[in-house]
Amino acid sequence: MTTEPPHGAHGPRPLDRRSPLPLWAQLSADLRRRMEAGAFREEFPAEHRLTGEYEVSRHTVREALRKLRAEGLVIAERGRTSRLDTRRIQQPLGSLYSLFRELEGQGVEQRSEVLRLERTADGTVAGHLGLVPEAPLVVLERLRLADGEPLAHDTAYLPAEVAEPLLDADFGHTSLYGELTRRCEVKVTGGRERIQPFLPDIRQAWLLGLADREAAFAIERIGQAGQRPVEWRETVVRGDRFTFVAEWSGDSRAVALAPRASCPSS
């Protein structure tokens, strides 16, 4: 087993026992610093090793690790040593993106299990797309996998008049937008998304491998070709594997925040 050097960016720093900051919080912060410096890539230290390195109790170590797990930085599984969470996918906000391209660009192997690809009708979805309630639609429902593990449950609806050729596509390892451009000569150029915390239903939780009452992200998207809505998409994403990232500057447009209405008192 490789031992971390006692000094330097990868090594532990002494904790300040006179500080008002609890020891577990100092330990959590120093472990985070070491992670950012590139430590623990091959192996995350066991509890007993951390107690020796930092001269603290096992309770202090466990509290620090609990904080890192809550932040999604460390994975702890029964019967296995803790390890860094390298599975988290970063997704930019405020830009048109394809999950397929984002995963491929981050070096993540992605594929999809197609659960449904057919013609359908849905008055509510048709309304989102500016169509009459009985307008025919093409629906594509997929379970998105990243490195073989469930990441998202994704259902996209498109007007059948433009998306009919998609019924012959194999979406096991290709993108919706790529096939939409190639087969239908329709290019999605912009749109709007709403992201909020969400409790998946029983089927979604089962598909995504989530525990009962484990929260996820729900994403609703309108995709447009020019000014025309051509896609209504509903996606449920595992919160423990997905991170949304926004870049901004002094010249950036503000992101609109829509506060939830207050819950009625019972």
Side-chain angles (χ1 to χ4, degrees):
M1 180 176 66
T2 303
T3 303
E4 290 285 351
H7 303 290
H10 288 192
R13 291 177 179 172
L15 305 183
D16 184 359
R17 284 164 168 76
R18 295 174 297 178
S19 170
L21 192 64
L23 290 177
W24 68 263
Q26 295 183 52
L27 174 55
S28 177
D30 196 55
L31 290 173
R32 193 181 303 109
R33 173 192 63 80
R34 294 171 70 182
M35 291 178 198
E36 293 172 353
F40 316 137
R41 294 300 183 189
E42 296 183 1
E43 179 185 52
F44 193 83
E47 290 181 5
H48 68 84
R49 178 177 158 193
L50 293 175
T51 61
E53 283 185 343
Y54 288 94
E55 299 181 345
V56 294
S57 69
R58 181 159 290 190
H59 173 75
T60 297
V61 169
R62 288 175 176 171
E63 281 296 302
L65 295 180
R66 184 184 62 79
K67 175 67 173 175
L68 296 176
R69 288 195 297 270
E71 293 175 359
L73 299 176
V74 171
I75 299 172
E77 297 174 346
R78 188 182 300 274
R80 300 179 62 181
T81 57
S82 297
R83 65 187 191 279
L84 298 189
D85 188 353
T86 58
R87 309 170 305 159
R88 189 171 288 265
I89 309 301
Q90 290 198 151
Q91 176 59 60
L93 289 173
S95 63
L96 179 66
Y97 66 88
S98 161
L99 182 60
F100 177 90
R101 289 197 301 268
E102 291 295 331
L103 292 175
E104 295 282 305
Q106 294 179 42
V108 178
E109 179 187 1
Q110 82 88 39
R111 63 182 178 87
S112 297
E113 293 182 6
V114 177
L115 306 177
R116 187 164 48 132
L117 177 58
E118 61 188 18
R119 287 174 62 99
T120 189
D122 186 303
T124 301
V125 172
H128 290 310
L129 293 171
L131 304 172
V132 297
E134 63 274 13
L137 307 169
V138 169
V139 58
L140 170 62
E141 180 185 6
R142 293 172 290 175
L143 178 63
R144 316 296 296 275
L145 304 172
D147 283 340
E149 296 186 23
L151 174 65
H153 175 240
D154 188 72
T155 307
Y157 298 85
L158 306 97
E161 63 177 298
V162 299
E164 190 86 25
L166 296 180
L167 295 172
D168 297 323
D170 178 4
F171 286 99
H173 189 76
T174 190
S175 70
L176 172 59
Y177 288 172
E179 293 298 313
L180 188 62
T181 299
R182 185 169 69 87
R183 294 174 180 266
C184 309
E185 298 184 350
V186 173
K187 183 177 178 61
V188 175
T189 56
R192 183 173 182 271
E193 282 189 338
R194 183 174 66 176
I195 305 168
Q196 60 187 357
F198 177 74
L199 282 177
D201 60 29
I202 294 175
R203 178 172 179 263
Q204 289 169 330
W206 178 78
L207 286 170
L208 293 172
L210 297 175
D212 184 38
R213 308 295 293 174
E214 185 174 354
F217 290 115
I219 307 173
E220 295 178 347
R221 174 193 287 195
I222 280 281
Q224 297 178 310
Q227 298 301 312
R228 180 184 181 181
V230 293
E231 172 200 28
W232 170 256
R233 188 183 301 215
E234 299 168 333
T235 305
V236 178
V237 183
R238 286 184 57 143
D240 63 338
R241 298 204 60 196
F242 217 71
T243 299
F244 294 97
V245 179
E247 295 185 3
W248 57 275
S249 67
D251 298 326
S252 300
R253 294 178 60 188
V255 176
L257 300 179
R260 286 175 172 271
S262 299
C263 295
S265 56
S266 53

